[in-house]
């Protein structure tokens, strides 16, 4: 029998949860299931089970990982909680619990710090609906026996799992600690549902969670090779994440497909590395078209894209006068006062660059500072030194950097 002081403390924790749910309390709540079979304990077990079931509703991937780690790190080891005696986790349950509450208790048992309890709980989870993500979490358990039990449970539950369950497991197959488990062997567990399943991959590629879409982009060619290029080309037009757009483009490039219809879109991509990759790929496939596009990107907002464009233009026309090109387009793009281009600059060029030191846009002012210090550093060193006191942090930082480089100029 549990003491009155235990029930008093537990009631206080339950009251705190009602005011402000704190996940740190969950491990304290779970210990009630190790208590004796008595009327008072059974009533509180039902209340705690209801809390656990509510907590698991719509649980996010990040929250799932935090809860799992927290339970294993903080589950109380009270004197009465002899977890190794629970050969059957069903003994943690009471007859008054609903199926959802019983499911929640077993899921939390699979988070427990005791490896024996985790192993026995994960063995039971396939008997309950919507448990595939919680089973998958144990595929990376620190105990080999738990991992093996989870793999068997995963195979049992996968045929009856919904598409939504399968999708919710996918983030666990990216970026998880692998321990001594071969990630390729784990991926084969999903093969029966993913292989040739276009409808499921369409859901995966359109999922709101970035990690799910990343999984789909990474594995599409493995499980749906005949439709991969078509589906990725369509996805590229609506993918909001720039890094995933780059991964899609690189996957299509590696396939050897003709990407002429994609270059126009990617050369206007908001993410500079995508524009850079598209320019380099276009030049490799069609040097003439690449050189023409490089000229249009000489005024790109990104320095790396501009530099790549400059190199391609000079490769085709070594005598091309970059300083003259930019000098004639200062009004078009005053940021390009050309601190970045080597060429036939002269002291006369400082006359039209110098006014930009007072430009209201800090970026333009910094570009002018760099250009003047490249053309005639000793003439402008005192002016740049005075800008160390600028209220604009970026301008003061640029001035310090230019002055540190001065002995090298």
């Amino acid at each position: 029998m549990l003491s009155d002081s235990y029930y008093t403390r537990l009631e206080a924790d339950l009251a705190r949860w009602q005011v402000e749910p704190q996940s740190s309390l969950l491990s304290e709540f779970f210990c009630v299931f190790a208590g004796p079979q008595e009327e008072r304990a059974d009533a509180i077990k039902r209340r705690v089970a209801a809390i656990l079931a509510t907590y698991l509703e719509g649980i996010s991937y990040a929250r799932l990982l935090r809860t799992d780690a927290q339970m294993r790190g903080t589950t109380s080891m009270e004197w009465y909680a002899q977890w190794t005696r629970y050969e059957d986790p069903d003994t943690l349950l009471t007859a008054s619990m609903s199926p959802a509450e019983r499911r929640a208790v077993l899921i939390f048992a699979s988070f427990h710090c005791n490896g024996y309890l985790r192993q026995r709980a994960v063995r039971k989870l396939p008997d309950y609906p919507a448990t595939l993500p919680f089973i998958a979490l144990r595929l990376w358990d620190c105990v080999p026996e738990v991992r093996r039990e989870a793999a068997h449970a995963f195979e049992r539950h996968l045929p009856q799992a919904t598409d939504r369950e399968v999708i919710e497991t996918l983030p666990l197959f990216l970026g998880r600690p692998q321990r001594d488990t071969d990630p390729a062997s784990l991926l084969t567990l999903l093969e029966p549902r993913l292989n040739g399943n276009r409808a499921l991959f369409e859901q995966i590629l359109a999922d709101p969670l970035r990690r799910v879409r990343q999984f789909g982009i990474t594995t599409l060619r493995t499980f749906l090779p005949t439709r991969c290029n078509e589906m990725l080309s369509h996805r590229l037009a609506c993918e909001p994440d720039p890094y995933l757009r780059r991964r899609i483009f690189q996957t299509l490039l590696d396939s050897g497909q003709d990407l002429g219809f994609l270059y126009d879109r990617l050369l206007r991509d908001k993410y500079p590395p995508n524009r850079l990759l598209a320019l380099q790929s276009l030049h490799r496939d069609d040097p003439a078209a690449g050189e023409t596009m490089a000229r249009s990107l000489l005024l790109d907002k990104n320095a790396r894209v501009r530099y790549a464009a400059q190199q391609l233009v000079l490769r085709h026309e070594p005598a091309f006068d970059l300083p003259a090109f930019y000098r004639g387009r200062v009004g078009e793009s005053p940021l390009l006062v050309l601190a970045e281009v080597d060429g036939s600059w002269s002291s006369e060029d400082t006359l039209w660059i110098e006014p930009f030191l007072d430009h209201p846009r800090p970026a333009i002012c910094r570009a002018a500072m760099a250009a003047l210090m490249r053309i005639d550093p000793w003439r402008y060193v005192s002016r740049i030194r005075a800008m160390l006191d600028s209220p604009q942090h970026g301008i003061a930082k640029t001035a310090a950097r230019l002055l540190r480089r001065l002995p090298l100029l």
Side-chain angles (χ1 to χ4, degrees):
M1 178 179 292
L2 298 177
S3 65
D4 288 340
S5 62
Y6 172 82
Y7 284 113
T8 301
R9 188 184 69 187
L10 187 58
E11 288 289 355
D13 287 341
L14 290 169
R16 286 171 56 199
W17 179 270
Q18 294 299 322
V19 175
E20 183 181 2
Q22 299 177 13
S23 57
S24 60
L25 294 173
L26 294 172
S27 57
E28 296 293 331
F29 293 162
F30 190 81
C31 285
V32 74
F33 297 109
Q37 299 290 335
E38 58 184 24
E39 183 177 352
R40 189 177 184 184
D42 287 353
I44 291 190
K45 287 178 184 179
R46 174 70 189 275
R47 289 167 60 189
V48 171
I51 288 174
L52 300 183
T54 301
Y55 182 84
L56 290 175
E57 291 178 2
I59 190 169
S60 67
Y61 166 73
R63 193 179 183 188
L64 171 60
L65 294 186
R66 286 197 302 270
T67 304
D68 174 55
Q70 193 168 45
M71 278 290 293
R72 283 186 289 109
T74 62
T75 310
S76 175
M77 297 298 287
E78 301 286 356
W79 61 269
Y80 57 82
Q82 300 175 21
W83 299 108
T84 54
R85 68 182 178 177
Y86 290 95
E87 292 290 339
D88 185 356
D90 283 344
T91 57
L92 300 172
L93 312 175
T94 66
S96 62
M97 291 180 187
S98 68
E101 291 165 350
R102 296 166 71 88
R103 167 183 174 272
V105 173
L106 289 175
I107 287 172
F108 269 84
S110 74
F111 297 160
H112 200 272
C113 66
N114 185 277
Y116 294 103
L117 186 58
R118 291 201 306 277
Q119 181 182 5
R120 293 159 186 165
V122 80
R123 184 183 302 159
K124 291 281 187 180
L125 286 182
D127 299 334
Y128 293 84
T131 54
L132 193 66
F134 306 102
I135 296 171
L137 190 61
R138 297 274 65 83
L139 293 171
W140 284 270
D141 199 274
C142 59
V143 179
E145 291 78 8
V146 177
R147 295 200 298 272
R148 286 194 289 270
E149 193 68 58
H152 295 317
F154 194 93
E155 290 177 335
R156 283 173 50 207
H157 189 63
L158 185 63
Q160 66 196 37
T162 64
D163 284 352
R164 189 67 246 168
E165 279 184 78
V166 174
I167 291 172
E168 287 174 356
T169 68
L170 300 183
L172 296 167
F173 287 84
L174 283 174
R176 294 287 295 158
Q178 301 301 335
R179 302 189 186 275
D180 59 348
T181 303
D182 178 13
S185 67
L186 293 179
L187 196 58
T188 60
L189 293 173
L190 287 167
E191 187 172 352
R193 289 296 292 270
L194 295 178
N195 198 26
N197 194 337
R198 177 171 181 170
L200 179 56
F201 266 104
E202 286 176 345
Q203 296 179 61
I204 291 171
L205 293 177
D207 195 85
L209 191 62
R210 180 188 183 277
R211 293 180 67 90
V212 172
R213 300 198 306 276
Q214 181 181 345
F215 177 91
I217 292 165
T218 304
T219 60
L220 183 58
R221 190 168 301 284
T222 301
F223 294 109
L224 205 62
T226 59
R227 297 286 187 175
C228 178
N229 290 349
E230 172 196 344
M231 294 178 70
L232 289 182
S233 299
H234 180 266
R235 182 62 201 169
L236 187 64
C238 52
E239 174 54 54
D241 187 274
Y243 302 98
L244 293 187
R245 289 199 300 273
R246 180 177 177 84
R247 176 161 290 193
I248 291 173
F249 186 44
Q250 189 64 62
T251 301
L252 292 172
L253 282 176
D254 294 342
S255 72
Q257 178 182 339
D258 179 14
L259 302 178
F261 65 101
L262 294 176
Y263 284 131
D264 183 59
R265 180 186 303 278
L266 286 163
L267 287 165
R268 293 182 284 106
D269 196 282
K270 292 182 179 180
Y271 184 52
N274 288 344
R275 298 199 299 275
L276 178 59
L277 180 60
L279 175 62
Q280 293 169 337
S281 302
L282 175 61
H283 185 266
R284 184 175 58 249
D285 294 344
D286 186 347
E291 194 268 342
T292 301
M293 182 54 64
R295 288 177 182 261
S296 69
L297 292 176
L298 289 173
L299 294 171
D300 194 271
K301 294 180 179 179
N302 182 263
R304 289 186 63 195
V305 176
R306 289 197 303 271
Y307 178 77
Q310 291 159 13
Q311 297 307 303
L312 290 179
V313 169
L314 292 174
R315 184 186 304 177
H316 285 268
E317 188 179 342
F320 187 85
D321 192 345
L322 284 173
F325 173 85
Y326 287 113
R327 189 184 296 116
R329 288 164 176 78
V330 172
E332 201 175 319
S333 184
L335 178 57
L336 301 176
V337 222
L338 270 269
E340 62 195 33
V341 173
D342 291 319
S344 55
W345 294 103
S346 66
S347 57
E348 286 76 14
D349 290 311
T350 62
L351 298 178
W352 57 266
I353 297 175
E354 186 174 347
F356 288 107
L357 289 175
D358 300 317
H359 199 282
R361 286 181 56 190
I364 295 176
C365 177
R366 294 199 305 270
M369 293 164 63
L372 292 171
M373 288 296 281
R374 167 170 288 197
I375 299 169
D376 196 349
W378 299 109
R379 179 179 175 184
Y380 289 95
V381 64
S382 58
R383 179 80 181 269
I384 298 302
R385 187 174 288 116
M387 298 176 86
L388 289 170
D389 299 325
S390 172
Q392 289 283 350
H393 175 71
I395 292 177
K397 186 176 179 181
T398 300
R401 176 175 58 82
L402 292 171
L403 290 170
R404 284 197 302 270
R405 292 175 54 197
L406 188 58
L408 303 176
L409 294 173

